[in-house]
Each structure stands twice: as C-alpha cells, then as structure tokens.
Amino acid sequence: MLDIKIEKTNNPKELPGADNPLKFGTIFTDHMFLMNYETNKGWHNPRVVPYQPLQLEPSAMVFHYGQEMFEGLKAYKTQDGRTLLFRPDKNIERANRTNRRICIPEIPEEDFLQAIKTVVKVDEAWVPTKEGTSLYIRPFIIATDPFLGVRPSDTYLFIIILSPVGAYYPEGLNPVKIWIEDEYVRAVRGGIGEAKTGGNYVASLKSQVKAHEAGYSQVLWLDGVERKYVEEVGAMNIFFKIDGKVITPELNGSILPGVTRDSVIALCKDWGIPTEERRISIDEIYEAYQSGALEEVFGTGTAAVISPVGQLRWDEHIMQVKDGGIGPLSQKLYDTITGIQLGRVEDRFNWTVEV
Ligand code: COI
C-alpha cells in the first residue's frame, strides 16, 4: 500500500461547462500523480500535486532515446453518482508488459491501481456526465537520467494526468475513412509493436500526414515483412465482419493487445457470433468487398471506443463498406460497452471497478 501525500491546488481551474465539446486531449484537471524511481530506492515518494509543468534536465534520457511508456483508460460517472473505471487491471498488466519490453522497472499492480484511484478521487468533480464523455486517464513513465549514452536509465518518473474528453475523432460515431498503408510500416515482430510506447506512434506520423492530405482520417497498417496481412490502425485495433463472422488480426507480437479489442471479442463470443483471431490478408478483405460479403468494419480503442469504418482505400481500390453508415453490430457493441462503462447495462463480466 502506497503512502500517497496529497497537496491540493490553491488555484482551482473552472470546470468545463456542460456545452464544452471536450475536444480530445486538450483540457487537463487540477492535479496529477507523481512517483519517482531510483535504482537503489525503488519506486518512492508517491504524491498528488497541482497539475504543473515538469522540470527536467535537457539531457534526460527520454528526450534522446525515447525510453517511455504510456497507458490510456477512462473513468465514467454513473447516473447514481458513482465513478467507474473500465478494466483497469488490463491496462496495468499491459503497462508492466511494456515496462519489461523497454527495460523500465515494473510497478506493483496494486500500487498502480491505488495511484489511479487516488488521483481520480481528488479530481472526481472533473468526470464529465454528458453522453459520450468521460475522464481520460493517461499514466506514463519517462527515463530521467541526465546521460547521453544508450542504456536503460537508473531513474524514472511515473506520472498520471487526467483529461475530460468527448469523442476521439471529430467524426464521433460517424464512420471514418481509412487509408491502407503499403509503403511505410509501423512495427515488425520482435520489435516494440505490442508495447505501448511513443516510438510506435512517431513511426506512424508520416503516413498519417499522407492519409490526411488525401482526405483519410486514419492509417491501417499492414505487416512489416510481406505488407500483406492486416495489423492495426495505430490508435485502434481493427475488426471485419465478413459473411456473418467477426475477424480480427491475431496478436502476433507487432499488434497492440487492446483492452477494447479483448472486450469486443468476449462480447461477440457471448452473443454466439463466430469470432476468429487470425491472420487476415488485404486480398481477402478486397475479395469479400467485391463479392458483397464485407458487412462491417470497425476500429476499437479506449479513446475511440468503437469507430465504424465507412471506407477503406488500398492503393487505387476504394472499398465503400455497405452504405457507409454505422453497422448494426458496431452500434450494438458501442451501446453495450458504453452501457457497461456508465453502469446502465449489467456488468456480467465484472469489468468495472468503483473509485
Ligand atoms: C487509447 O485509445 O487510449 C490510446 O492510447 C490511443 C491513443 C493514440 C489516443
């Protein structure tokens, strides 16, 4: 059990009003959580302090070699005023998997959860209540040794910041258009693709710019070797409904193991829908599109929840998914997952945790 010191701000900000659209990731609450690591002391000095800029050496290793990890989860307000976290255990387990991959010391799971609950409790008034909103929780760890050699740092800072958010995409629940990238790659097996670390996201920027210029909001990555098998979208995992079956790429080492992905698989199986985690090639998707068997495409992610895909562009081929609207399965998944998150739908899987 951590002994977390709490220093409250003397200068609280105004809470965003009910009509604020809460553009994703732009507003931050009054407080943040901090905890330090040193090789001989382990994780120590856990504290909640007013949200403020950090002071770091310009030589801090994170700035040079990218030794950092992050997570993303959300807190929701129920109608009866409780604050719920959605599957925080999955995020914490994944955080430590990322830590092991990039040589950051692990944080005991119960301490991680206590840190999240404590800072969310302090800023509980910031959990928004409007339909489609939540409090996004961003835990992250950075390497802080002032050193320019390449090796794991001996010191780290663990930070949790909070941001009231609306939809991740400006499209909201309206379908997004996705660009299938066959020039650049995001990750390769044996690399860091399955870790939640900034390096994967910087690798995606060039293609994202290219896609945006062509009028597409996201990039769908193909595998890094053959550029043939579908991987993920970067901010989301991807699902296809073909001929009554739900198919998503298997976790092969270069795909992020998404918490919403896992929840969607559990729900589809529970509903008796044949659900497959396997390799799926872009040719198979194109063939399904041509034969009319491609029924729905959607992305899943904490930030995006369920994001229907209305159009896919692969080289010169444009695949319009059905009528380009939200499909019935995507809608049902969105309603069920957000219903559980908001305490409106029975939580049969025990996914929510009260703060
Ligand atoms: C999330 O869905 O929480 C993520 O971390 C994706 C991020 C790029 C917004």
Side-chain angles (χ1 to χ4, degrees):
M1 179 99 169
L2 295 174
D3 179 16
I4 303 176
K5 302 266 172 324
I6 297 179
E7 181 199 334
K8 292 245 180 104
T9 180
N10 294 322
N11 216 350
K13 298 178 229 174
E14 205 176 310
L15 294 175
D19 53 353
N20 188 313
L22 301 179
K23 190 161 179 283
F24 185 86
T26 54
I27 300 172
F28 300 96
T29 66
D30 279 328
H31 298 89
M32 62 184 182
F33 174 87
L34 297 176
M35 181 160 71
N36 297 80
Y37 181 91
E38 281 170 44
T39 299
N40 295 324
K41 280 173 102 169
W43 287 108
H44 62 279
N45 196 13
R47 58 212 187 267
V48 170
V49 297
Y51 182 92
Q52 60 194 286
L54 300 172
Q55 269 211 331
L56 292 168
E57 298 273 346
S59 53
M61 292 180 81
V62 65
F63 296 132
H64 305 278
Y65 311 119
Q67 196 192 9
E68 74 90 37
M69 64 76 62
F70 72 94
E71 268 300 327
L73 67 161
K74 284 175 171 173
Y76 302 82
K77 191 58 94 183
T78 63
Q79 253 169 4
D80 58 2
R82 290 172 302 138
T83 300
L84 299 180
L85 303 172
F86 185 70
R87 309 190 76 184
D89 49 313
K90 295 293 276 183
N91 292 90
I92 293 169
E93 184 193 308
R94 186 174 65 188
N96 277 331
R97 219 174 317 140
T98 298
N99 286 342
R100 287 194 290 276
R101 178 64 183 84
I102 59 175
C103 303
I104 292 177
E106 291 180 45
I107 296 180
E109 293 188 6
E110 59 281 11
D111 293 351
F112 206 126
L113 184 60
Q114 190 194 346
I116 293 172
K117 283 184 170 181
T118 304
V119 67
V120 170
K121 195 87 198 160
V122 170
D123 277 340
E124 202 168 8
W126 285 81
V127 184
T129 53
K130 216 172 89 190
E131 193 66 39
T133 65
S134 56
L135 185 71
Y136 188 75
I137 304 167
R138 171 53 62 88
F140 61 109
I141 302 174
I142 54 174
T144 51
D145 276 11
F147 180 57
L148 295 185
V150 178
R151 59 149 172 80
S153 183
D154 287 323
T155 59
Y156 298 88
L157 187 59
F158 174 40
I159 307 165
I160 305 175
I161 55 173
L162 308 171
S163 174
V165 297
Y168 182 68
Y169 296 117
E171 290 92 333
L173 240 198
N174 294 321
V176 293
K177 287 166 68 183
I178 287 193
W179 173 279
I180 300 174
E181 177 61 69
D182 57 6
E183 182 185 0
Y184 301 107
V185 300
R186 171 186 173 273
V188 290
R189 229 175 291 177
I192 53 170
E194 66 180 352
K196 202 144 178 75
T197 180
N200 288 320
Y201 296 79
V202 78
S204 75
L205 296 181
K206 181 95 181 153
S207 305
Q208 194 186 85
V209 169
K210 191 168 83 172
H212 281 180
E213 280 169 3
Y216 289 78
S217 55
Q218 287 291 303
V219 172
L220 176 63
W221 298 99
L222 300 179
D223 74 277
V225 178
E226 293 177 72
R227 296 182 204 190
K228 180 173 171 174
Y229 296 99
V230 171
E231 298 242 306
E232 60 155 271
V233 178
M236 304 192 288
N237 294 110
I238 190 90
F239 285 76
F240 303 90
K241 183 155 178 267
I242 298 177
D243 225 356
K245 278 191 205 141
V246 169
I247 305 162
T248 193
E250 67 193 342
L251 299 177
N252 61 359
S254 54
I255 294 175
L256 190 87
V259 177
T260 313
R261 173 188 182 280
D262 187 78
S263 311
V264 162
I265 293 170
L267 284 171
C268 287
K269 287 187 174 164
D270 186 59
W271 294 336
I273 303 171
T275 305
E276 299 174 358
E277 294 177 72
R278 63 166 171 85
R279 281 209 314 191
I280 178 159
S281 70
I282 190 61
D283 304 275
E284 180 179 342
I285 290 160
Y286 190 60
E287 276 163 32
Y289 162 72
Q290 283 188 308
S291 72
L294 183 62
E295 296 165 18
E296 286 186 47
V297 182
F298 55 91
T300 64
T302 295
V305 194
I306 301 290
S307 177
V309 176
Q311 194 196 98
L312 293 159
R313 176 169 174 167
W314 175 42
D315 203 6
E316 291 311 306
H317 309 295
I318 294 189
M319 299 177 239
Q320 187 74 32
V321 185
K322 291 294 174 192
D323 61 359
I326 176 164
L329 178 62
S330 310
Q331 184 73 58
K332 184 172 174 189
L333 284 164
Y334 178 83
D335 292 342
T336 307
I337 292 175
T338 55
I340 294 171
Q341 289 167 336
L342 291 163
R344 292 201 288 239
V345 169
E346 190 195 349
D347 180 13
R348 289 188 299 110
F349 298 91
N350 272 326
W351 280 341
T352 56
V353 173
E354 197 169 334
V355 167

mmCIF file of all heavy atoms in Angstrom, residues 24 70-74 91 94 136-138 168 196 201 234-236 256 260 300-305, ligand 1:
data_model
loop_
_atom_site.group_PDB
_atom_site.id
_atom_site.type_symbol
_atom_site.label_atom_id
_atom_site.label_comp_id
_atom_site.label_asym_id
_atom_site.label_seq_id
_atom_site.Cartn_x
_atom_site.Cartn_y
_atom_site.Cartn_z
ATOM 1 N N PHE A 24 -10.815 16.077 -27.700
ATOM 2 C CA PHE A 24 -9.963 15.057 -27.077
ATOM 3 C C PHE A 24 -8.574 15.589 -26.703
ATOM 4 O O PHE A 24 -7.865 16.157 -27.539
ATOM 5 C CB PHE A 24 -9.795 13.845 -28.001
ATOM 6 C CG PHE A 24 -9.018 12.739 -27.348
ATOM 7 C CD1 PHE A 24 -9.651 11.800 -26.555
ATOM 8 C CD2 PHE A 24 -7.639 12.676 -27.478
ATOM 9 C CE1 PHE A 24 -8.924 10.803 -25.908
ATOM 10 C CE2 PHE A 24 -6.904 11.684 -26.832
ATOM 11 C CZ PHE A 24 -7.549 10.746 -26.048
ATOM 12 N N PHE A 70 3.348 4.538 -22.025
ATOM 13 C CA PHE A 70 2.120 5.192 -21.584
ATOM 14 C C PHE A 70 0.966 4.214 -21.628
ATOM 15 O O PHE A 70 1.056 3.139 -22.227
ATOM 16 C CB PHE A 70 1.823 6.446 -22.408
ATOM 17 C CG PHE A 70 1.373 6.208 -23.828
ATOM 18 C CD1 PHE A 70 0.026 6.145 -24.132
ATOM 19 C CD2 PHE A 70 2.285 6.071 -24.856
ATOM 20 C CE1 PHE A 70 -0.413 5.940 -25.443
ATOM 21 C CE2 PHE A 70 1.866 5.854 -26.159
ATOM 22 C CZ PHE A 70 0.519 5.793 -26.456
ATOM 23 N N GLU A 71 -0.105 4.595 -20.962
ATOM 24 C CA GLU A 71 -1.349 3.831 -20.988
ATOM 25 C C GLU A 71 -2.498 4.798 -21.193
ATOM 26 O O GLU A 71 -2.311 6.021 -21.116
ATOM 27 C CB GLU A 71 -1.548 3.056 -19.664
ATOM 28 C CG GLU A 71 -0.981 1.652 -19.686
ATOM 29 C CD GLU A 71 -1.627 0.788 -20.774
ATOM 30 O OE1 GLU A 71 -2.818 0.969 -21.068
ATOM 31 O OE2 GLU A 71 -0.928 -0.075 -21.334
ATOM 32 N N GLY A 72 -3.669 4.272 -21.464
ATOM 33 C CA GLY A 72 -4.857 5.108 -21.592
ATOM 34 C C GLY A 72 -6.051 4.325 -21.076
ATOM 35 O O GLY A 72 -6.275 3.194 -21.491
ATOM 36 N N LEU A 73 -6.762 4.885 -20.125
ATOM 37 C CA LEU A 73 -8.011 4.263 -19.662
ATOM 38 C C LEU A 73 -8.966 5.382 -19.288
ATOM 39 O O LEU A 73 -8.591 6.559 -19.358
ATOM 40 C CB LEU A 73 -7.776 3.276 -18.523
ATOM 41 C CG LEU A 73 -7.305 3.756 -17.156
ATOM 42 C CD1 LEU A 73 -7.616 2.676 -16.117
ATOM 43 C CD2 LEU A 73 -5.796 4.001 -17.143
ATOM 44 N N LYS A 74 -10.194 5.004 -18.938
ATOM 45 C CA LYS A 74 -11.179 6.058 -18.710
ATOM 46 C C LYS A 74 -11.971 5.835 -17.425
ATOM 47 O O LYS A 74 -12.176 4.690 -17.006
ATOM 48 C CB LYS A 74 -12.172 6.113 -19.872
ATOM 49 C CG LYS A 74 -11.621 6.775 -21.133
ATOM 50 C CD LYS A 74 -12.638 6.659 -22.250
ATOM 51 C CE LYS A 74 -12.251 7.496 -23.464
ATOM 52 N NZ LYS A 74 -13.170 7.218 -24.598
ATOM 53 N N ASN A 91 -5.171 -2.693 -18.229
ATOM 54 C CA ASN A 91 -4.204 -1.640 -18.572
ATOM 55 C C ASN A 91 -2.930 -1.775 -17.728
ATOM 56 O O ASN A 91 -1.816 -1.579 -18.220
ATOM 57 C CB ASN A 91 -4.801 -0.253 -18.333
ATOM 58 C CG ASN A 91 -5.914 0.050 -19.307
ATOM 59 O OD1 ASN A 91 -7.064 -0.243 -19.045
ATOM 60 N ND2 ASN A 91 -5.565 0.601 -20.467
ATOM 61 N N ARG A 94 -0.871 -4.651 -18.914
ATOM 62 C CA ARG A 94 -0.197 -4.288 -20.171
ATOM 63 C C ARG A 94 0.932 -3.290 -19.914
ATOM 64 O O ARG A 94 1.982 -3.348 -20.545
ATOM 65 C CB ARG A 94 -1.211 -3.706 -21.155
ATOM 66 C CG ARG A 94 -0.624 -3.432 -22.520
ATOM 67 C CD ARG A 94 -1.667 -2.994 -23.512
ATOM 68 N NE ARG A 94 -2.256 -1.710 -23.162
ATOM 69 C CZ ARG A 94 -3.299 -1.170 -23.775
ATOM 70 N NH1 ARG A 94 -3.878 -1.815 -24.768
ATOM 71 N NH2 ARG A 94 -3.785 0.000 -23.414
ATOM 72 N N TYR A 136 -10.487 10.853 -19.330
ATOM 73 C CA TYR A 136 -9.394 10.042 -19.872
ATOM 74 C C TYR A 136 -8.215 10.092 -18.904
ATOM 75 O O TYR A 136 -7.817 11.169 -18.448
ATOM 76 C CB TYR A 136 -8.979 10.585 -21.247
ATOM 77 C CG TYR A 136 -7.990 9.706 -21.974
ATOM 78 C CD1 TYR A 136 -8.396 8.519 -22.576
ATOM 79 C CD2 TYR A 136 -6.646 10.059 -22.058
ATOM 80 C CE1 TYR A 136 -7.494 7.706 -23.240
ATOM 81 C CE2 TYR A 136 -5.742 9.249 -22.728
ATOM 82 C CZ TYR A 136 -6.166 8.076 -23.312
ATOM 83 O OH TYR A 136 -5.279 7.273 -23.973
ATOM 84 N N ILE A 137 -7.685 8.917 -18.592
ATOM 85 C CA ILE A 137 -6.588 8.806 -17.627
ATOM 86 C C ILE A 137 -5.339 8.410 -18.390
ATOM 87 O O ILE A 137 -5.336 7.394 -19.087
ATOM 88 C CB ILE A 137 -6.937 7.725 -16.570
ATOM 89 C CG1 ILE A 137 -8.280 8.057 -15.899
ATOM 90 C CG2 ILE A 137 -5.824 7.586 -15.545
ATOM 91 C CD1 ILE A 137 -8.858 6.896 -15.090
ATOM 92 N N ARG A 138 -4.309 9.194 -18.280
ATOM 93 C CA ARG A 138 -3.077 8.923 -19.025
ATOM 94 C C ARG A 138 -1.911 8.707 -18.055
ATOM 95 O O ARG A 138 -1.246 9.650 -17.633
ATOM 96 C CB ARG A 138 -2.798 10.093 -19.980
ATOM 97 C CG ARG A 138 -1.450 10.108 -20.694
ATOM 98 C CD ARG A 138 -1.117 8.847 -21.446
ATOM 99 N NE ARG A 138 -2.006 8.473 -22.542
ATOM 100 C CZ ARG A 138 -1.906 8.876 -23.804
ATOM 101 N NH1 ARG A 138 -0.945 9.695 -24.148
ATOM 102 N NH2 ARG A 138 -2.750 8.444 -24.723
ATOM 103 N N TYR A 168 -12.939 10.814 -29.666
ATOM 104 C CA TYR A 168 -11.549 10.932 -30.117
ATOM 105 C C TYR A 168 -11.487 11.511 -31.528
ATOM 106 O O TYR A 168 -10.685 12.402 -31.816
ATOM 107 C CB TYR A 168 -10.882 9.551 -30.097
ATOM 108 C CG TYR A 168 -9.432 9.584 -30.508
ATOM 109 C CD1 TYR A 168 -8.486 10.204 -29.701
ATOM 110 C CD2 TYR A 168 -9.008 9.012 -31.699
ATOM 111 C CE1 TYR A 168 -7.155 10.249 -30.068
ATOM 112 C CE2 TYR A 168 -7.671 9.045 -32.078
ATOM 113 C CZ TYR A 168 -6.753 9.671 -31.257
ATOM 114 O OH TYR A 168 -5.440 9.720 -31.625
ATOM 115 N N LYS A 196 3.179 -0.364 -25.486
ATOM 116 C CA LYS A 196 2.540 0.952 -25.614
ATOM 117 C C LYS A 196 3.610 1.993 -25.295
ATOM 118 O O LYS A 196 3.813 2.386 -24.137
ATOM 119 C CB LYS A 196 1.340 1.041 -24.668
ATOM 120 C CG LYS A 196 0.356 2.094 -25.120
ATOM 121 C CD LYS A 196 -1.079 1.703 -24.864
ATOM 122 C CE LYS A 196 -2.033 2.786 -25.273
ATOM 123 N NZ LYS A 196 -2.221 2.913 -26.714
ATOM 124 N N TYR A 201 4.170 5.394 -32.189
ATOM 125 C CA TYR A 201 3.273 6.440 -32.669
ATOM 126 C C TYR A 201 4.041 7.421 -33.564
ATOM 127 O O TYR A 201 3.516 7.896 -34.564
ATOM 128 C CB TYR A 201 2.588 7.117 -31.467
ATOM 129 C CG TYR A 201 1.712 6.093 -30.753
ATOM 130 C CD1 TYR A 201 2.263 5.146 -29.889
ATOM 131 C CD2 TYR A 201 0.358 6.002 -31.030
ATOM 132 C CE1 TYR A 201 1.484 4.167 -29.294
ATOM 133 C CE2 TYR A 201 -0.437 5.025 -30.442
ATOM 134 C CZ TYR A 201 0.141 4.103 -29.573
ATOM 135 O OH TYR A 201 -0.638 3.126 -29.007
ATOM 136 N N GLY A 234 -3.254 1.792 -35.240
ATOM 137 C CA GLY A 234 -2.351 2.708 -34.530
ATOM 138 C C GLY A 234 -3.037 3.247 -33.292
ATOM 139 O O GLY A 234 -2.594 2.995 -32.184
ATOM 140 N N ALA A 235 -4.143 3.965 -33.484
ATOM 141 C CA ALA A 235 -4.909 4.400 -32.302
ATOM 142 C C ALA A 235 -6.031 3.400 -32.016
ATOM 143 O O ALA A 235 -6.803 3.598 -31.085
ATOM 144 C CB ALA A 235 -5.477 5.795 -32.525
ATOM 145 N N MET A 236 -6.127 2.340 -32.825
ATOM 146 C CA MET A 236 -7.209 1.359 -32.636
ATOM 147 C C MET A 236 -6.781 -0.016 -33.172
ATOM 148 O O MET A 236 -5.951 -0.106 -34.068
ATOM 149 C CB MET A 236 -8.446 1.754 -33.474
ATOM 150 C CG MET A 236 -9.012 3.116 -33.241
ATOM 151 S SD MET A 236 -10.619 3.293 -34.033
ATOM 152 C CE MET A 236 -10.209 3.368 -35.770
ATOM 153 N N LEU A 256 -0.840 -4.082 -30.933
ATOM 154 C CA LEU A 256 -1.130 -3.740 -29.539
ATOM 155 C C LEU A 256 -2.307 -4.578 -29.021
ATOM 156 O O LEU A 256 -3.358 -4.634 -29.662
ATOM 157 C CB LEU A 256 -1.482 -2.251 -29.420
ATOM 158 C CG LEU A 256 -1.546 -1.816 -27.964
ATOM 159 C CD1 LEU A 256 -0.178 -1.410 -27.449
ATOM 160 C CD2 LEU A 256 -2.548 -0.706 -27.768
ATOM 161 N N THR A 260 -10.175 -2.769 -25.361
ATOM 162 C CA THR A 260 -11.486 -2.767 -26.019
ATOM 163 C C THR A 260 -11.556 -3.929 -27.004
ATOM 164 O O THR A 260 -12.599 -4.578 -27.142
ATOM 165 C CB THR A 260 -11.736 -1.414 -26.723
ATOM 166 O OG1 THR A 260 -11.395 -0.372 -25.814
ATOM 167 C CG2 THR A 260 -13.197 -1.263 -27.123
ATOM 168 N N THR A 300 -11.448 -0.461 -32.684
ATOM 169 C CA THR A 300 -11.733 -0.452 -31.248
ATOM 170 C C THR A 300 -10.554 0.156 -30.514
ATOM 171 O O THR A 300 -9.403 -0.084 -30.866
ATOM 172 C CB THR A 300 -11.925 -1.893 -30.720
ATOM 173 O OG1 THR A 300 -10.690 -2.607 -30.878
ATOM 174 C CG2 THR A 300 -13.034 -2.625 -31.458
ATOM 175 N N GLY A 301 -10.838 0.935 -29.482
ATOM 176 C CA GLY A 301 -9.755 1.515 -28.687
ATOM 177 C C GLY A 301 -10.347 2.209 -27.473
ATOM 178 O O GLY A 301 -11.547 2.506 -27.465
ATOM 179 N N THR A 302 -9.518 2.466 -26.486
ATOM 180 C CA THR A 302 -10.026 3.153 -25.296
ATOM 181 C C THR A 302 -10.497 4.542 -25.681
ATOM 182 O O THR A 302 -11.601 4.959 -25.329
ATOM 183 C CB THR A 302 -8.929 3.225 -24.222
ATOM 184 O OG1 THR A 302 -8.641 1.892 -23.817
ATOM 185 C CG2 THR A 302 -9.380 4.031 -23.025
ATOM 186 N N ALA A 303 -9.662 5.263 -26.400
ATOM 187 C CA ALA A 303 -10.019 6.635 -26.759
ATOM 188 C C ALA A 303 -11.194 6.634 -27.731
ATOM 189 O O ALA A 303 -12.152 7.387 -27.582
ATOM 190 C CB ALA A 303 -8.817 7.346 -27.366
ATOM 191 N N ALA A 304 -11.152 5.760 -28.724
ATOM 192 C CA ALA A 304 -12.167 5.780 -29.791
ATOM 193 C C ALA A 304 -13.397 4.939 -29.458
ATOM 194 O O ALA A 304 -14.421 5.086 -30.122
ATOM 195 C CB ALA A 304 -11.537 5.283 -31.092
ATOM 196 N N VAL A 305 -13.334 4.048 -28.498
ATOM 197 C CA VAL A 305 -14.366 3.061 -28.136
ATOM 198 C C VAL A 305 -14.640 2.155 -29.358
ATOM 199 O O VAL A 305 -13.843 1.265 -29.628
ATOM 200 C CB VAL A 305 -15.672 3.709 -27.617
ATOM 201 C CG1 VAL A 305 -16.557 2.628 -26.946
ATOM 202 C CG2 VAL A 305 -15.375 4.810 -26.603
HETATM 203 C C1 COI B 1 -6.120 4.956 -26.335
HETATM 204 O O1 COI B 1 -7.017 4.527 -27.039
HETATM 205 O O2 COI B 1 -6.270 5.176 -25.130
HETATM 206 C C2 COI B 1 -4.804 5.217 -26.849
HETATM 207 O O3 COI B 1 -3.887 5.175 -26.109
HETATM 208 C C3 COI B 1 -4.633 5.609 -28.246
HETATM 209 C C4 COI B 1 -4.069 6.990 -28.279
HETATM 210 C C5 COI B 1 -3.274 7.132 -29.500
HETATM 211 C C6 COI B 1 -5.101 8.036 -28.134
#
